[in-house]
Amino acid sequence: MPVTDPISDMLTRIRNAVMSHHETVKIPHSQMKRSLLRLMRDEGFISNVQTHRDGVKADFEVTLRYYDDNDESVITGLKRVSKPGRRIYVGKNEIPRYFGGRGVAFMSTSKGVMTSDQARRSGVGGELLFYVW
């Protein structure tokens, strides 16, 4: 069955893997997901992203990050904001701070995919994709 919202599918796969305490999760490949996963790695939410090719099909193998002392995930929540049925756009002066700045908002802007802090520093707005905290 085709996936109508690939970003939501990616977030759901990560959320389910975190709830089940899996070390890795496989996600179907796309350029948008590659950019988002790199940002999540740079922000410290995941440990590593590797691409695996099987003929024509490619997948990402995402290594999740956990705290050492009590096996608790670094990712405590994921929330999709903009959806295919209702896109949410914010201007450069309307970029939200999620959980008082503890969460990170991921955005698609005219300068590429970036976090809310990067968009604020660049002075651009765009589509608010999802929050991670």
Side-chain angles (χ1 to χ4, degrees), residues 46-57:
I46 57 178
S47 294
N48 194 14
V49 179
Q50 293 180 343
T51 305
H52 295 284
R53 293 208 178 272
D54 184 25
V56 178
K57 183 181 172 193

Side-chain angles (χ1 to χ4, degrees), residues 14 17-24 45 47 63-75:
I14 292 172
V18 165
M19 288 174 32
S20 299
H21 297 286
H22 288 251
E23 298 226 356
T24 62
F45 291 111
S47 294
T63 306
L64 302 173
R65 233 174 128 194
Y66 293 93
Y67 294 116
D68 292 330
D69 51 352
N70 58 359
D71 199 35
E72 186 177 326
S73 175
V74 172
I75 298 173

